[in-house]
Amino acid sequence: MFNTVRGMRDLLPIEAEKMRYIEQVSRELSKLYGYDEIITPVLESYDLLAAKTSEEIRERMYTFKDLGDRKVAMRPEFTASIARLISTKMRNEPKPMRFFSVGSLYRYDEPQYGRYREFWQSNYELFGSDRPEADAEILMLTNNLLERLELKNYLFKIGHTGILRGVLNQEGLDDEKQNSLRQLLDKKSWEEALEFALDTGVSQQCLGVLKSLLETKGEDVFNVLEGVKETVTKYEEAVCAVDNLWKIIELIKESGEKIELTVEAGFARGLEYYTGMIFEAYIPGLDIALGGGGRYDRLIEIFGGEPIPAVGVAQGIDRIALALTKQKVSTKLPKKKSIVVISVKEATMAKALELSSLLRKSGLLVEVAVMGRSISKALADANRRKIAYAVIIGPKELEQEKVVLREMKNSTQRTVLISKLTKEILKD
Ligand code: HAM
């Protein structure tokens, strides 16, 4: 007997329906915002996926050599693949470009609540604009998605990589050390992060600034930003980052969007490609991020294209499904009336298949009774599965171009002309 590989899951109908529901709402939203769907491969070159992600993700990729001796990996996220596509095939397309993707991703994480080795994201990327309204769009889109899904009590944590980067650049810390520091912050290992900074030999002033940044957060966003600006006043690049974040939040607030934002000055995301605003959506108490994203203006350039600014977000479909279940929010797609077509005799089976095709053409959901059961057993099964109608096809009725239409709910049945069958069902 075979089981699933550790960390891999079978999604049974109830779970699969939830996932597809979230996918559908995500896709509808992508259309409302003008994001065109693209499909990129699950398998990419290892080097592409490894560049500028994070040490943690690099270590946790499913990597292998294909039969042509190429080092490949299963994608741990969409952003690298989409940036590859932009830098190779779409470099000269008019800007902005907006792309939506949905699909499965792979990370060899330790399986636990809300953390899987195969998981799903709905991903939105906006290329070509370095302006704060592009950042605002990505944040508002994420807020709108969670709103449409009727999720409650979710909050946004927002920061800017330029704040820490501005401070550390001026202190002369190289990219590698900055990445290591960010990883520690991403894991919320504050003490370790400060010790690491101390070991790199940064100034006492810098240590003081870092400590203060790690302690600075709050929902009174402009007051918090005012404070952050004062803290980093001696670091020009960091001051610019605060101003940029200010502008983004101001745009969102002034647009009237209802969004719960907490500014966290020391907030870092694991991925190395971020250059600007970064954010995550989460539900307090449910200790996992539902989605996250930010600005990454240098990635396309690193992949060999023109520099093209970009900002994007990925929502974790599995985690949103968990949150919706916890909050008992319905995730059912509207169901159409379902019908079972039952043939009384073998001789009328071909007619049953023909009629089921005819009914489906009118958009009705039709199953054919394929178990060879007696009529009463087939009807009992239809009752158990809450099917609305049974169409019973027998030789006697067929002679007059008729069938029996049975309403399962109240066990009433009547004989109807085949030519009127669809109308009869649709009129109820
Ligand atoms: P990320 O923060 O690595 O960002 O992932 C985004 C979301 O995917 C997370 O917030 C979480 O909901 C979900 N997720 C990640 N890992 C797992 C896992 N092991 N199991 C279940 N869900 C998971 C990115 O992937 C970036 N590419 C987002 C982005 C797009 N930035 C710019 N554009």
Side-chain angles (χ1 to χ4, degrees):
M1 250 215 294
F2 293 111
N3 286 319
T4 50
V5 171
R6 181 165 153 78
M8 298 288 150
R9 296 161 300 154
D10 294 318
L11 298 176
L12 299 181
I14 291 177
E15 288 155 324
E17 186 181 23
K18 270 185 201 156
M19 300 287 282
R20 292 299 185 211
Y21 168 74
I22 298 165
E23 181 180 326
Q24 180 163 321
V25 176
S26 306
R27 184 172 286 110
E28 277 165 13
L29 192 79
S30 76
K31 296 202 171 108
L32 294 180
Y33 275 80
Y35 285 69
D36 294 327
E37 184 158 0
I38 48 174
I39 301 173
T40 55
V42 170
L43 213 61
E44 294 272 9
S45 93
Y46 170 82
D47 291 340
L48 170 91
L49 297 174
K52 289 280 161 195
T53 51
S54 71
E55 202 43 49
E56 199 175 315
I57 290 186
R58 276 189 284 274
E59 278 166 12
R60 293 182 179 184
M61 272 199 273
Y62 280 85
T63 310
F64 56 95
K65 285 235 167 114
D66 72 5
L67 293 179
D69 210 29
R70 297 173 199 91
K71 193 172 180 191
V72 293
M74 289 163 81
R75 61 184 179 197
E77 55 141 9
F78 283 113
T79 310
S81 301
I82 301 170
R84 168 190 56 69
L85 183 66
I86 301 292
S87 65
T88 52
K89 297 179 186 141
M90 311 192 86
R91 223 188 283 203
N92 301 319
E93 295 291 311
K95 315 287 179 304
M97 289 183 274
R98 292 180 167 93
F99 290 120
F100 166 72
S101 294
V102 67
S104 56
L105 296 309
Y106 301 84
R107 296 182 192 175
Y108 200 79
D109 282 331
E110 201 40 44
Q112 52 188 282
Y113 182 73
R115 191 171 289 280
Y116 314 109
R117 291 185 177 168
E118 181 184 51
F119 60 96
W120 294 67
Q121 285 182 348
S122 62
N123 187 93
Y124 304 78
E125 309 286 356
L126 167 48
F127 295 96
S129 171
D130 60 2
R131 300 176 57 84
E133 50 268 38
D135 302 72
E137 173 171 309
I138 288 292
L139 271 154
M140 287 164 77
L141 177 156
T142 305
N143 192 40
N144 289 172
L145 177 67
L146 301 178
E147 223 169 50
R148 277 179 169 251
L149 290 165
E150 294 179 30
L151 197 72
K152 293 176 282 290
N153 306 327
Y154 60 89
L155 305 172
F156 285 87
K157 185 186 325 187
I158 187 167
H160 197 297
T161 46
I163 300 175
L164 272 175
R165 198 188 298 272
V167 173
L168 299 173
N169 278 351
Q170 199 167 314
E171 292 285 329
L173 220 67
D174 63 29
D175 267 359
E176 203 179 314
K177 292 207 176 92
Q178 289 199 25
N179 285 336
S180 304
L181 186 65
R182 261 192 296 276
Q183 291 280 322
L184 291 171
L185 294 178
D186 183 37
K187 286 202 202 102
K188 302 188 175 63
S189 312
W190 318 127
E191 290 298 322
E192 249 184 276
L194 287 172
E195 268 167 40
F196 179 85
L198 184 70
D199 288 347
T200 62
V202 294
S203 68
Q204 277 305 317
Q205 171 187 292
C206 172
L207 274 182
V209 167
L210 286 182
K211 207 157 176 275
S212 161
L213 288 180
L214 295 187
E215 286 161 4
T216 309
K217 60 174 164 184
E219 290 153 35
D220 188 359
V221 287
F222 297 115
N223 249 334
V224 174
L225 286 176
E226 198 83 68
V228 178
K229 205 165 165 177
E230 240 163 68
T231 308
V232 298
T233 185
K234 297 218 170 69
Y235 299 91
E236 200 183 327
E237 202 186 322
V239 172
C240 288
V242 180
D243 287 341
N244 177 240
L245 189 54
W246 185 296
K247 186 77 206 156
I248 295 165
I249 298 178
E250 192 176 58
L251 273 175
I252 297 174
K253 295 269 177 196
E254 284 183 3
S255 79
E257 180 81 6
K258 287 204 172 57
I259 184 166
E260 304 276 347
L261 291 172
T262 302
V263 167
E264 281 196 23
F267 173 40
R269 280 181 41 77
L271 295 153
E272 288 165 12
Y273 48 63
Y274 291 120
T275 57
M277 178 278 296
I278 45 172
F279 72 98
E280 275 175 13
Y282 68 101
I283 294 181
L286 197 75
D287 206 20
I288 43 177
L290 302 176
R295 173 166 288 284
Y296 56 102
D297 285 347
R298 307 286 311 276
L299 193 59
I300 309 287
E301 189 182 338
I302 288 164
F303 289 170
E306 308 257 306
I308 298 177
V311 56
V313 62
Q315 341 284 352
I317 294 183
D318 313 71
R319 291 188 179 178
I320 294 177
L322 275 181
L324 290 173
T325 307
K326 206 159 185 201
Q327 294 188 355
K328 300 192 170 58
V329 178
S330 163
T331 49
K332 288 209 176 309
L333 293 167
K335 263 226 163 110
K336 296 208 166 130
K337 277 182 201 159
S338 53
I339 297 152
V340 63
V341 177
I342 306 167
S343 169
V344 176
K345 293 243 154 38
E346 247 180 76
T348 47
M349 186 42 97
K351 194 72 188 172
L353 293 175
E354 183 192 324
L355 276 186
S356 58
S357 289
L358 187 87
L359 293 170
R360 285 189 199 107
K361 280 192 182 128
S362 308
L364 291 163
L365 200 155
V366 186
E367 292 176 23
V368 176
V370 292
M371 298 299 289
R373 290 184 177 126
S374 67
I375 304 283
S376 61
K377 285 209 169 127
L379 288 175
D381 181 60
N383 253 335
R384 183 180 63 82
R385 291 189 300 117
K386 302 197 166 45
I387 284 178
Y389 293 98
V391 173
I392 304 164
I393 302 174
K396 241 177 40 215
E397 289 82 8
L398 265 188
E399 272 172 26
Q400 301 162 37
E401 291 290 305
K402 286 181 176 169
V403 290
V404 173
L405 176 63
R406 182 183 177 91
E407 209 173 323
M408 300 302 297
K409 189 169 67 206
N410 43 20
S411 305
T412 54
Q413 60 185 53
R414 58 193 191 271
T415 315
V416 298
L417 274 170
I418 290 175
S419 57
K420 301 231 167 93
L421 181 62
T422 312
K423 242 195 199 154
E424 282 291 313
I425 295 174
L426 288 174
K427 87 171 187 216
D428 283 350

